[in-house]
Amino acid sequence: MRNIGPYDYVIIGAGTAGCVLANRLSADPEVTVLLLEAGGKDDWIWIHIPVGYLYCIGNPRTDWCYQTEPDPGLNGRTINYPRGRVLGGSSSINAMLCLRGQARDYDEWAQATGDPGWSWQNVLPVFMKTEDHWRGADEKHGTGGEWHVEPARLRWEILEAFRDAAAEIGIAQIDDFNRGDNEGVSRFEVNQQRGVRRSAAKAFLRPAMKRPNLTVITGALVKKLRMDGRRVLGVEFERDNEPMFATAQRETILSAGAIGSPQILQLSGIGPGALLQQHGIPVVHELPVGENLQDHLQLRMAFKVQHALTLNTMLRSWRAKIKMGLEYALFRSGPMTMAPSQLGAFVKSDPAQATANLEYHVQPISLDKFGDPPHAFPAFTASACNLRPTSRGHVRIISPDPRAYPAIQCNYLSTAEDRKVAADALRLTRRIVTGTRAMKKYQPEEFSPGPAFQSEEELVTAAGNVGTTIFHPVGTCKMGREHDATAVVDTKFRVRGIGHLRVIDASIMPTITSGNTNTPTVMIAERASAILRADRR
């Protein structure tokens, strides 16, 4: 085994959190940093063209291509579970939507962890520090940061009609989802710069790669953490079939995400004791690693329409494709700049909810699943997801072999509360699309899941038929108070009972945020870097 280093910090995973951490830690020239990434470089053109997510998701060049276990809540189905496997991680293949969530999310984190530093009041300046917002700076937005935010560069008539229809039933039209209360309907803002994807690798990692004290190794498959008792010495990994070991003098940092981080901990003997013993792994320290998996289940309702332009028909025309390509090449505009969803809404599934608990992603396209061609007729998709699911799943290794994917069990719709919200969401979508004047001229016709599902029980079945991930797994290395038996890390990201090891990524979220999770992960890593610098002094 070849030894490399020593480094002050070894970071596992060059996803969103890892890129931020690599930038911030290596800003000190007296500190040496190694960043390990299992995937390759982000030098493929479809990573950078926004519509390229259609080619990146489900492609082993850029995606781990996980699959879930059969899920009773999905009527026994398994689903694809995309996670980025490339520099930038999921920020290189995701929807590019910039959403912070709600103020209540972070106030609840502060209350649950006993750390006021996680309150909205205290994390808002962290969001603002990293941001470069197209509107300019004000009391809720920042400029000059690396995380560029701009408006979508095109509009669709059918989506504008949906926006008007939502307003018709009392959903307010707003212009900013990121001021703490996101209730309303609006166009999404995106992490792009002049029509090009702004991934975490591009925003944070590339500028830092010029520094001599930062080393980045791609194609590095982590096997396990090397331990001396309950102290982490560094990382054993493999590159080009060569076993290697990197020494971390100060800290090893896991930023492999809500699937990868618990897998590596379990492979290293940190996790549920019975699970580790089942696979012949000596138990170093028993912790609930891999439990508390949370995700937003999106219920994709699709509607045929008349008299409206959608991507379904455009993508079946070579003339339209050529026009789209020329428009992008010449002006960085048009459909190739599209995020998967351009219009969103945050609403209450019923008036008793304290804040909006549903998020809509509305798209001028319909397909059976990512990777499939669009349907042959004009249609659009309105996906609704429960922002605060009470169902919990888990991530558990199935083998001591690091190449063996872990079992991902989401347990969607496993609580009565989640099933009720799902049924209410389907009813609300129908009310917006088929019960309003704004949509009437398009003659919308529901074809998925279909109008035959009407009763509460039938609607829950329908939700299981059409539900799928919206790519927001979190919580599997939960942050919590000292005596919280369900917590894996403390509020400084330190793994309980283990020295010189922290987990810094979306897996530490105690509860999922009320919106897309990438920008909150930037905030988490930014806050963590400040804590690491303070602890070093």
Side-chain angles (χ1 to χ4, degrees):
M1 180 176 290
R2 182 156 70 95
N3 294 341
I4 62 172
Y7 299 90
D8 289 305
Y9 297 98
V10 176
I11 304 169
I12 301 170
T16 297
C19 288
V20 175
L21 290 164
N23 180 300
R24 299 303 191 239
L25 294 177
S26 66
D28 182 347
E30 297 182 0
V31 168
T32 56
V33 179
L34 171 65
L35 178 63
L36 299 174
E37 168 56 41
K41 297 179 180 179
D42 62 334
D43 53 2
W44 191 34
I45 189 171
W46 287 115
I47 293 172
H48 307 289
I49 297 174
V51 80
Y53 72 90
L54 289 168
Y55 305 103
C56 293
I57 291 176
N59 185 334
R61 177 172 182 166
T62 49
D63 181 1
W64 282 96
C65 299
Y66 294 120
Q67 280 198 323
T68 66
E69 297 296 294
D71 197 315
L74 302 184
N75 303 325
R77 290 187 298 127
T78 64
I79 57 172
N80 295 332
Y81 215 66
R83 294 283 84 201
R85 189 175 185 266
V86 63
L87 290 179
S90 293
S91 77
S92 289
I93 68 171
N94 71 356
M96 297 160 284
L97 304 185
C98 183
L99 292 159
R100 295 169 176 173
Q102 298 172 1
R104 66 168 280 174
D105 299 334
Y106 304 100
D107 291 339
E108 287 178 354
W109 287 11
Q111 183 177 14
T113 63
D115 184 347
W118 287 107
S119 69
W120 172 251
Q121 178 183 354
N122 287 315
V123 301
L124 178 58
V126 185
F127 279 116
M128 293 171 65
K129 176 185 175 183
T130 59
E131 190 174 57
D132 188 21
H133 198 273
W134 66 278
R135 284 195 180 99
D138 63 17
E139 73 280 2
K140 296 289 177 66
H141 287 293
T143 56
E146 296 91 345
W147 204 225
H148 193 78
V149 183
E150 65 181 31
R153 299 171 73 86
L154 77 165
R155 297 185 182 185
W156 296 84
E157 179 184 332
I158 190 66
L159 301 190
E160 296 302 303
F162 186 98
R163 188 183 189 193
D164 292 341
E168 194 176 316
I169 68 164
I171 301 170
Q173 294 192 7
I174 62 174
D175 64 0
D176 190 348
F177 284 137
N178 286 315
R179 304 185 78 83
D181 178 3
N182 53 18
E183 187 169 1
V185 60
S186 186
R187 301 176 193 90
F188 285 122
E189 294 176 332
V190 291
N191 292 118
Q192 294 181 12
Q193 192 158 19
R194 293 185 291 277
V196 177
R197 176 188 289 273
R198 186 74 168 169
S199 68
K202 193 175 294 183
F204 296 97
L205 183 59
R206 284 191 187 177
M209 288 177 73
K210 301 172 185 176
R211 299 169 184 163
N213 61 329
L214 173 63
T215 301
V216 180
I217 299 179
T218 56
L221 178 68
V222 170
K223 299 171 72 176
K224 65 178 181 177
L225 307 173
R226 182 178 292 183
M227 314 287 295
D228 178 12
R230 292 188 178 182
R231 180 179 182 274
V232 176
L233 302 177
V235 182
E236 295 183 17
F237 66 100
E238 189 177 283
R239 187 171 189 264
D240 296 331
N241 295 317
E242 180 184 10
M244 304 178 75
F245 172 70
T247 302
Q249 291 183 312
R250 291 183 182 271
E251 306 236 21
T252 297
I253 301 169
L254 261 173
S255 296
I259 309 302
S261 287
Q263 179 187 19
I264 292 168
L265 286 172
Q266 291 170 6
L267 290 171
S268 306
I270 304 168
L275 174 70
L276 305 183
Q277 291 167 355
Q278 176 186 345
H279 298 296
I281 297 173
V283 179
V284 175
H285 188 49
E286 185 158 358
L287 284 172
V289 170
E291 304 302 302
N292 193 50
L293 174 63
Q294 300 162 54
D295 190 13
H296 290 143
L297 176 70
Q298 63 168 336
L299 307 180
R300 294 174 56 84
M301 297 188 75
F303 300 85
K304 296 180 182 179
V305 290
Q306 304 294 326
H307 319 301
L309 182 66
T310 73
L311 266 179
N312 284 21
T313 47
M314 292 181 70
L315 290 176
R316 289 181 172 272
S317 163
W318 280 107
R319 181 176 295 179
K321 286 182 180 179
I322 291 169
K323 181 181 177 183
M324 288 163 53
L326 287 172
E327 186 175 2
Y328 187 79
L330 295 173
F331 307 111
R332 292 293 184 265
S333 62
M336 291 186 72
T337 67
M338 280 178 50
S341 305
Q342 292 79 56
L343 185 78
F346 290 84
V347 304
K348 296 176 181 178
S349 62
D350 68 74
Q353 297 290 330
T355 60
N357 68 317
L358 293 179
E359 178 183 5
Y360 276 93
H361 294 79
V362 193
Q363 307 157 344
I365 189 173
S366 68
L367 36 79
D368 290 330
K369 64 179 185 298
F370 285 107
D372 287 0
H375 296 121
F377 43 81
F380 76 97
T381 302
S383 295
C385 66
N386 180 357
L387 291 172
R388 293 187 289 276
T390 53
S391 299
R392 297 291 183 266
H394 57 253
V395 175
R396 296 172 183 167
I397 57 170
I398 63 169
S399 163
D401 182 355
R403 290 179 175 78
Y405 285 178
I408 302 168
Q409 183 66 63
C410 294
N411 291 328
Y412 292 121
L413 302 176
S414 58
T415 66
E417 181 178 343
D418 286 359
R419 292 191 291 273
K420 180 182 185 304
V421 171
D424 289 344
L426 295 178
R427 290 191 192 97
L428 179 59
T429 308
R430 286 173 174 169
R431 183 182 170 202
I432 295 171
V433 177
T434 62
T436 53
R437 294 186 304 275
M439 294 296 298
K440 187 175 182 179
K441 76 172 186 176
Y442 302 103
Q443 301 174 39
E445 179 185 345
E446 178 188 334
F447 68 93
S448 179
F453 298 92
Q454 292 293 330
S455 71
E456 187 86 4
E457 183 178 356
E458 289 169 344
L459 289 171
V460 171
T461 298
N465 289 343
V466 302
T468 189
T469 180
I470 203 162
F471 321 131
H472 300 161
V474 306
T476 49
C477 298
K478 177 187 171 183
M479 172 176 63
R481 294 174 184 260
E482 180 179 355
H483 301 296
D484 182 352
T486 66
V488 174
V489 303
D490 65 16
T491 58
K492 288 190 173 183
F493 310 95
R494 297 172 296 201
V495 176
R496 297 193 180 281
I498 301 292
H500 296 249
L501 176 64
R502 304 198 201 210
V503 178
I504 302 171
D505 55 30
S507 71
I508 66 95
M509 292 186 185
T511 50
I512 195 167
T513 54
S514 301
N516 300 54
T517 53
N518 197 44
T519 292
T521 302
V522 172
M523 180 276 293
I524 287 169
E526 181 70 32
R527 189 162 189 271
S529 67
I531 290 171
L532 285 162
R533 290 195 301 269
D535 285 355
R536 193 170 67 240
R537 297 191 187 103

